[in-house]
Amino acid sequence: MSPTLTPQPPTPPPVTLLKPGTSYADAWQRCLTAAPEAFREQTAGNLWAGAWHPDGRTLPATTPVDGTPIAGAPRLDGDTAHQAVRAALDQHRAWRHIPLPERRARVAATLDALAGHRELLALLLVWEIGKPWRLALADVDRAIDGVRWYADRIEPMLAGRAPLDGPVSNIASWNYPMSVLVHAALVQALAGNAVIAKTPTDGGVACLTLAAALAAREGVPLTLLGGSGRELNQALVRAPEIGCVSFVGGRDTGAAVATAVADLGKRHILEQEGLNTWGIWEFSDWAALTAAVPRLFDYGKQRCTAYPRFVVQRSLFDAFLAAYLPAVRSVRVGHPLAVADPADPLPEPDFGPLISAAKAKELTDQVAEAVDRGAVPLYRGRPDEARFLPGQDTSAYVHPVTLLGPPPSSPLHHAEPFGPVDTIVLVDTEAELLAAMNASNGALVATLATDDRAAYDRLAPQIRAFKTGHGVPRSRGDRDELFGGFGASWRGAFVGGELLVRAVTRGPAGERLPGNFPEYQLMP
């Protein structure tokens, strides 16, 4: 079957201005109006002991969208963080005795308040972490809808279970402040726990501050603290008051957290990165691949379930390229809020900037180094000036790149790039296919595209990913879909559906939670 070419989108008129009403200054003023207790003229506060505090040292920050200044997180010192954790334990001891109907009512009221500020929360995500408008709205909606799903079904999930002995401490990366961090925090509170959340260092302070303010108004016991992981580690991971540590981030930081919680015997949920792979073996549905590729670039692959590696049967490489290259050429990159006319709708790029200019430079340098050491550049996207404001800072933007054969000495060979770089590895045998798909010692998701169902059934169980799709991408999932990882991509309890509630509650004596623990591994 010959590949179907992806139609090129029509060339848009050159953008000339920021969509009226969407500036960062506009968003900040709306925050001051919506939650004056949490925001000052130039900074956000820390929430602990049930009140907002103007403590912490705020470092300068800029938006990745155009490099202009925005509010940074107020960074607490370790002593103040310990005070906040002790106060959270007091909140926990009171909250765990609140009847479930009242807990649910307070969480439901929080969700209504979040829905009332849906567009402001999304606009803050655009400015703080560079998320395109469509994806920013989706992040907010997934948080709200996901927690509503739990609120409607929580009774049987809590049957025979009790809250933990101390609050849940959440340390999460910057890429999904609402649908990962806020979602988890509200479900943890619904289950009877007080909740502590660390504001990610790289972005999301205003969005999370507004969400925390709305929850605190409804009496949900939430603590929100800013600071570096190194300074707050003793309080948020090692403090005896903490009942569970929930971490989402990279393997280097995750390894340090894993060591600490293992030494202390703490309940833990550690979601870490892995190199998610898409295998091509005895495959012919090239039209489906062409349709899938642009979607795989959503948010510039800055997510834990992105697919940055294709493992392709060598005899199919020419057909693969014929399907892949037109698709990657259709990927759109640009300013998330720039329009040609004030009446125009907001643009819909596949992605905007990476999280920072520093990350963009690091990734660009990795690509250049890989090519110097033998990788073959198959595609390099070029800037389309029509999608950016005249004269804007574009240092955080990286356009799609595709490399064949990244050398073993390159980080792009074995680690997740967390940016819009695809790498391709060619294989000749099923053994080589599996070895290449398992290059990172565990992943969160994988896909094997093959026409042979028997081959899929035989090979998929040998792929070290928690979820494997048959020719379709897998995601973190929502609601009752379980989530975890194999190998170094996950430590501790698995989550999703009932497992998320089980992970943050106590069951019968001797209970073994599904997950990857130092002493055992148990699949759900």
Side-chain angles (χ1 to χ4, degrees):
M1 181 184 297
S2 61
T4 299
L5 298 184
T6 300
Q8 294 297 310
T11 301
V15 299
T16 59
L17 73 157
L18 198 66
K19 176 78 172 178
T22 67
S23 72
Y24 181 75
D26 292 329
W28 188 260
Q29 283 302 127
R30 290 168 64 184
C31 289
L32 289 172
T33 300
E37 70 274 26
F39 293 90
R40 306 295 187 269
E41 282 302 319
Q42 302 294 329
T43 63
N46 287 295
L47 173 63
W48 55 278
W52 290 94
H53 300 264
D55 45 16
R57 180 171 57 97
T58 302
L59 297 182
T62 58
T63 170
V65 173
D66 61 11
T68 55
I70 61 173
R75 297 163 69 95
L76 287 183
D77 59 72
D79 290 342
T80 307
H82 274 290
Q83 293 181 47
V85 169
R86 286 191 289 270
L89 178 61
D90 292 338
Q91 288 181 308
H92 180 83
R93 288 170 171 166
W95 178 254
R96 62 183 298 175
H97 297 296
I98 298 291
L100 176 58
E102 184 175 344
R103 296 202 306 264
R104 179 163 48 195
R106 294 188 191 182
V107 169
T110 300
L111 297 176
D112 290 342
L114 293 172
H117 292 84
R118 170 180 181 257
E119 294 197 350
L120 175 55
L121 290 164
L123 183 58
L124 293 168
L125 291 179
V126 175
W127 282 111
E128 293 189 303
I129 61 174
K131 195 162 270 195
W133 180 245
R134 170 180 60 88
L135 299 178
L137 287 173
D139 194 16
V140 177
D141 291 343
R142 285 179 64 189
I144 296 169
D145 296 342
V147 179
R148 287 197 197 281
W149 183 88
Y150 279 94
D152 290 342
R153 295 163 175 80
I154 193 65
E155 285 96 339
M157 295 185 191
L158 288 177
R161 309 194 66 80
L164 300 175
D165 293 332
V168 181
S169 176
N170 293 268
I171 304 169
S173 57
W174 43 266
N175 52 344
Y176 285 91
M178 293 296 298
S179 62
V180 172
L181 184 51
V182 171
H183 175 278
L186 291 178
V187 175
Q188 293 160 7
L190 186 64
N193 302 290
V195 178
I196 303 169
K198 178 188 172 297
T199 304
T201 305
D202 290 323
V205 57
C207 177
L208 287 170
T209 299
L210 178 58
L214 299 175
R217 285 180 183 176
E218 304 301 335
V220 176
L222 178 63
T223 296
L224 182 67
L225 306 176
S228 74
R230 185 175 294 104
E231 289 180 275
L232 302 189
N233 176 277
Q234 289 292 330
L236 300 187
V237 175
R238 294 180 173 274
E241 294 89 347
I242 299 297
C244 175
V245 176
S246 176
F247 170 87
V248 179
R251 290 192 178 185
D252 290 344
T253 304
V257 175
T259 299
V261 295
D263 290 347
L264 298 168
K266 284 188 183 296
R267 182 78 61 93
H268 56 282
I269 307 161
L270 308 182
E271 176 187 331
Q272 300 171 167
E273 63 189 18
L275 183 62
N276 306 316
T277 58
W278 189 296
I280 303 286
W281 187 260
E282 302 296 341
F283 178 73
S284 64
D285 191 357
W286 301 112
L289 178 69
T290 299
V293 166
R295 296 196 301 272
L296 301 182
F297 278 90
D298 273 357
Y299 196 33
K301 300 189 183 251
Q302 295 179 107
R303 48 198 174 91
C304 65
T305 54
Y307 285 84
R309 167 68 51 81
F310 288 92
V311 180
V312 182
Q313 188 174 7
R314 190 183 307 272
S315 60
L316 299 178
F317 185 47
D318 55 342
F320 170 83
L321 281 185
Y324 172 88
L325 289 175
V328 74
R329 291 187 186 110
S330 74
V331 173
R332 299 158 300 170
V333 184
H335 191 301
L337 300 171
V339 294
D341 184 272
D344 287 347
L346 287 169
E348 294 191 1
D350 294 291
F351 63 94
L354 299 192
I355 187 58
S356 67
K359 173 60 182 178
K361 183 180 185 306
E362 173 191 294
L363 190 57
T364 301
D365 289 347
Q366 287 180 354
V367 169
E369 182 181 48
V371 172
D372 285 345
R373 295 182 180 181
V376 178
L378 297 177
Y379 177 76
R380 295 181 193 266
R382 295 289 183 261
D384 180 353
E385 298 302 331
R387 296 186 181 275
F388 296 94
L389 290 175
Q392 81 162 80
D393 183 335
T394 60
S395 58
Y397 292 78
V398 174
H399 299 269
V401 175
T402 307
L403 301 178
L404 173 66
S409 59
S410 168
L412 298 177
H413 178 79
H414 54 79
E416 183 180 15
F418 232 62
V421 176
D422 278 345
T423 56
I424 300 172
V425 173
L426 302 182
V427 296
D428 296 297
T429 67
E430 290 185 356
E432 290 176 337
L433 174 81
L434 291 171
M437 294 190 72
N438 292 329
S440 68
N441 184 27
L444 304 175
V445 296
T447 291
L448 179 58
T450 178
D451 298 342
D452 186 346
R453 180 71 206 199
Y456 176 83
D457 291 341
R458 182 178 66 256
L459 297 172
Q462 301 178 68
I463 299 170
R464 290 181 59 76
F466 188 79
K467 298 179 181 181
T468 301
H470 187 184
V472 296
R474 300 303 308 270
S475 70
R476 195 177 198 277
D478 290 303
R479 304 178 181 182
D480 59 351
E481 189 172 358
L482 306 183
F483 194 54
F486 280 152
S489 68
W490 197 280
R491 296 285 185 266
F494 296 146
V495 295
E498 182 183 1
L499 292 189
L500 174 54
V501 175
R502 289 174 65 183
V504 295
T505 54
R506 288 188 294 107
E511 178 184 45
R512 288 160 60 92
L513 296 174
N516 296 331
F517 294 93
E519 62 275 17
Y520 72 89
Q521 179 188 65
L522 178 64
M523 295 302 294

